[in-house]
Amino acid sequence: MNVPQIRLESNFIRLGLKIERPMQELSQPPAIQSIQQPKAILEIETVPGKLTIDQTKAREDVDLKSARRRLEETAQNGYQDWLKGLERRASEGAELMRIENGGSPIASQAKANSEGPPKQFNIGWVPSHNSVKISYEPAKVKIDALPQKPKIEVEIKKSVHHYTPGKVSTEILEKNSLTIDFINLTKW
């Protein structure tokens, strides 16, 4: 038996999305920077060292005397020798005045005047110890440093930002539809 039928066939709408992605560009230009470091102000004051060497005594020890010193010594020795000679002659004259007391003062005086004093020898150092005098004043250094601050200049650049917003658009890929079909219908 053929029963009449109504067939309904429906299709839903199919939508499509067309998406354009957003674009963002971000860049940061470098800052312009200027740094200068002035030199420090430096002052150095130096008092030189002083070395004093006095070798007068050492030179005298090896008989290298100055003319003035040699004249002073010669004058002093001459004066001392004159006094000794004066003393010797006075004592010899006194002995000769008493010749009547006996003895032979003339022979003993002749013998004493013909012989020199006995020679003496001893170990010594030439020049003598500590005959060179050394003194030293060290140098003095005064340093004054005045530091200078650096000069820093910075020019900051703004960041560059470009933004393109995204877009979403819809499109109909398939329209909705309704199909009606009649089966086994008889005409009346």
Side-chain angles (χ1 to χ4, degrees):
M1 161 162 168
N2 287 334
V3 178
Q5 297 178 1
I6 297 177
R7 288 188 186 166
L8 297 174
E9 187 179 326
S10 66
N11 290 328
F12 292 106
I13 191 167
R14 278 187 32 201
L15 294 177
L17 295 178
K18 185 177 180 185
I19 300 172
E20 291 180 25
R21 292 187 172 268
M23 293 295 290
Q24 177 171 281
E25 295 176 4
L26 184 62
S27 64
Q28 178 65 55
I32 298 173
Q33 190 173 32
S34 169
I35 300 175
Q36 294 177 352
Q37 177 63 61
K39 294 180 181 177
I41 298 170
L42 186 66
E43 292 180 9
I44 300 174
E45 189 177 318
T46 305
V47 176
K50 185 177 180 183
L51 175 65
T52 305
I53 300 173
D54 183 7
Q55 58 183 4
T56 307
K57 176 77 171 107
R59 291 179 61 85
E60 287 175 2
D61 287 350
V62 293
D63 202 30
L64 295 174
K65 301 173 186 173
S66 66
R68 179 182 177 151
R69 178 76 176 142
R70 194 168 295 279
L71 283 174
E72 286 174 0
E73 278 186 4
T74 304
Q76 184 65 30
N77 290 342
Y79 181 70
Q80 292 298 324
D81 288 348
W82 176 74
L83 287 177
K84 286 179 188 174
L86 186 63
E87 178 187 2
R88 181 179 56 86
R89 284 184 180 79
S91 102
E92 286 176 356
E95 279 182 27
L96 289 175
M97 281 190 330
R98 290 187 290 283
I99 199 164
E100 68 273 356
N101 293 338
S104 58
I106 294 177
S108 65
Q109 287 178 9
K111 182 178 179 189
N113 289 337
S114 65
E115 296 175 352
K119 300 289 182 187
Q120 294 184 1
F121 178 76
N122 199 352
I123 296 176
W125 301 101
V126 177
S128 61
H129 182 65
N130 286 336
S131 61
V132 178
K133 294 179 179 74
I134 299 174
S135 67
Y136 177 69
E137 279 183 41
K140 294 177 186 170
V141 179
K142 180 182 176 188
I143 300 174
D144 289 329
L146 181 63
Q148 299 295 313
K149 291 185 178 180
K151 296 176 184 173
I152 301 173
E153 295 175 8
V154 178
E155 182 184 336
I156 300 172
K157 299 287 188 173
K158 290 186 177 181
S159 57
V160 179
H161 183 238
H162 293 289
Y163 179 70
T164 305
K167 291 182 183 175
V168 177
S169 57
T170 59
E171 60 180 338
I172 298 174
L173 298 175
E174 192 177 319
K175 292 185 178 181
N176 56 345
S177 65
L178 179 62
T179 307
I180 302 172
D181 195 12
F182 300 98
I183 298 175
N184 294 331
L185 284 181
T186 55
K187 287 191 182 174
W188 310 64

